Amino acid sequence: MHISEGFLPIGHALAWSAVSAPFVVRGGRRLARRLEQQPEARLLLGAAGAVTFLFSALKLPSVAGSSSHPTGTALGTVLLGPSVMSVIVGIVLLFQALLLAHGGLTTLGANLFAMGIAGPWLAAGAFQLQRRLGLSTGIAAGGAAIIANLGTYLVTAIQLALAFPQASTGIRGSIVSFVGIFAWTQIPLAILEGIVTTIIVRHLLTRLGDRAIQLLARVPATAK
């Protein structure tokens, strides 16, 4: 994610913006209903936004046109759901593009799809699967963070490959090349993000209590 400003061809940039827009609209409606029904969720919204901004601002050089860093989206996904994360990540990416020159306005749609849509939905699926298998909330959240991180970068690799296919091997070869470059930094970062996310969620469970966190996040009580 965080493809640099102007790096994508204009047609690709517009296409990813068009694909991402309906998710943002749907997420905004769900967020408005959530806050109306549960005003106390504003605290979780602020925490999710802060973690996402902080984690995703810690960038490391990875490949021309992009960077490697944690995503921070799994925590918000666990607390508020994947739909809401499209709005949170959209705001985070906009501020980072304007204030930190991290990402860009022309690539906002592509970055949002990878980090704010694909990542959170993959995290939600991974989280629910782990809960059904009996894993604790904290461990499941950590596993979801790893999946969200790696999934986000896989989507970014596909986006870059679609824009810049290799002359000999085409899009498939380009995907392999981008994934191979990302893997050196991203796999260790994903594991580290999973550990940190587990610690944060366990801390929240200790402070708020399992009953409270399940009520706010609508997490199925299949594990303790």
Side-chain angles (χ1 to χ4, degrees), residues 157-223:
I158 293 172
Q159 291 173 327
L160 292 172
L162 289 172
F164 306 103
Q166 292 183 358
S168 58
T169 57
I171 294 175
R172 180 180 300 178
S174 189
I175 291 175
V176 172
S177 297
F178 281 116
V179 169
I181 295 172
F182 280 138
W184 289 99
T185 53
Q186 210 52 45
I187 292 177
L189 281 175
I191 295 172
L192 179 61
E193 182 176 353
I195 294 171
V196 173
T197 301
T198 295
I199 293 172
I200 293 174
V201 170
R202 284 181 170 176
H203 177 71
L204 288 174
L205 290 172
T206 301
R207 293 294 299 272
L208 300 179
D210 193 60
R211 181 180 179 84
I213 198 71
Q214 288 178 7
L215 174 63
L216 292 176
R218 295 188 176 92
V219 175
T222 58

Side-chain angles (χ1 to χ4, degrees), residues 1-223:
M1 90 290 310
H2 282 60
I3 301 173
S4 301
E5 179 70 81
F7 193 75
L8 291 178
I10 187 62
H12 287 254
L14 292 174
W16 287 113
S17 296
V19 170
S20 298
F23 290 92
V24 177
V25 172
R26 182 172 182 268
R29 291 173 178 171
R30 290 183 66 88
L31 177 59
R33 289 199 300 269
R34 182 69 180 275
L35 294 179
E36 181 179 356
Q37 297 169 1
Q38 294 179 302
E40 65 272 26
R42 287 185 173 87
L43 295 175
L44 298 179
L45 178 65
V51 168
T52 300
F53 186 93
L54 177 62
F55 277 33
S56 60
L58 303 173
K59 60 180 180 178
L60 298 172
S62 178
V63 65
S66 189
S67 58
S68 289
H69 51 76
T71 66
T73 57
L75 179 65
T77 299
V78 171
L79 296 177
L80 299 164
S83 294
V84 173
M85 289 307 296
S86 63
V87 179
I88 295 176
V89 173
I91 295 173
V92 166
L93 290 174
L94 180 61
F95 273 90
Q96 289 178 343
L98 294 175
L99 302 178
L100 303 178
H102 191 21
L105 297 179
T106 60
T107 56
L108 184 62
N111 292 330
L112 175 58
F113 185 85
M115 181 172 154
I117 298 170
W121 280 101
L122 288 170
F127 180 78
Q128 294 295 341
L129 176 60
Q130 290 174 95
R131 292 302 304 274
R132 291 191 180 98
L133 293 175
L135 298 180
S136 69
T137 302
I139 296 297
I146 294 174
I147 295 300
N149 188 305
L150 297 179
T152 295
Y153 276 91
L154 176 59
V155 172
T156 299
I158 293 172
Q159 291 173 327
L160 292 172
L162 289 172
F164 306 103
Q166 292 183 358
S168 58
T169 57
I171 294 175
R172 180 180 300 178
S174 189
I175 291 175
V176 172
S177 297
F178 281 116
V179 169
I181 295 172
F182 280 138
W184 289 99
T185 53
Q186 210 52 45
I187 292 177
L189 281 175
I191 295 172
L192 179 61
E193 182 176 353
I195 294 171
V196 173
T197 301
T198 295
I199 293 172
I200 293 174
V201 170
R202 284 181 170 176
H203 177 71
L204 288 174
L205 290 172
T206 301
R207 293 294 299 272
L208 300 179
D210 193 60
R211 181 180 179 84
I213 198 71
Q214 288 178 7
L215 174 63
L216 292 176
R218 295 188 176 92
V219 175
T222 58

